[in-house]
Amino acid sequence: VQLQASGGGLVQGGGSLRLSCSAVGFTLNYYGIGWFRQAPGKEREAVACISKTGKVTSYEDSLKGRFSISRDMYTVYLQMDNLEPEDTAVYYCARGLMPPCTLTARDYNLWGQGTQVTVSS
């Protein structure tokens, strides 16, 4: 049972990336999913979350308007636009315990391995 995050890479400031999160060993659309990130030397922070139906989403206030979370039956996506060097981090997806979804890391019980996003200036 695991989550797999992918889609990270190196991008110039102002560019875009789309991250994907897929499930192995369980049914993804039974769960709310959150995205979190951790930059070097900093604490992990919430990015966004989406309910199992996709009808409820929530974003870290500072990222609204640039990041968008969505899902289909098998994958949860994080579209990141107008990226800034400050967005450089390892991005993790996680499986939620508390419906519909929260931006609190302790409400998640299964974490993917992370995907590196690097934004150059």
Side-chain angles (χ1 to χ4, degrees):
V1 174
Q2 58 181 318
L3 286 166
Q4 295 181 334
S6 61
L10 174 64
V11 63
Q12 283 192 326
S16 298
L17 282 174
R18 188 175 79 159
L19 306 184
S20 299
C21 177
S22 59
V24 177
F26 69 98
T27 303
L28 189 70
N29 64 356
Y30 286 179
Y31 297 91
I33 299 294
W35 283 99
F36 295 79
R37 68 184 184 182
Q38 187 165 20
K42 295 186 177 181
E43 293 186 354
R44 180 174 52 191
E45 64 176 351
V47 174
C49 71
I50 188 166
S51 65
K52 64 180 181 180
T53 64
K55 293 181 179 179
V56 176
T57 59
S58 184
Y59 296 89
E60 175 62 31
D61 285 345
S62 64
L63 301 176
K64 288 179 181 177
R66 294 195 300 119
F67 287 23
S68 178
I69 191 169
S70 63
R71 70 187 302 163
D72 60 29
M73 184 173 292
Y74 302 109
T75 307
V76 172
Y77 303 98
L78 184 68
Q79 177 68 40
M80 306 185 295
D81 298 319
N82 195 21
L83 283 162
E84 303 169 353
E86 292 73 23
D87 296 317
T88 295
V90 178
Y91 285 70
Y92 301 90
C93 60
R95 187 179 72 180
L97 292 168
M98 300 294 291
C101 73
T102 80
L103 295 178
T104 305
R106 65 175 177 268
D107 292 335
Y108 293 81
N109 69 344
L110 180 69
W111 294 77
Q113 84 287 0
T115 185
Q116 176 71 49
V117 171
T118 303
V119 184
S120 63
S121 56

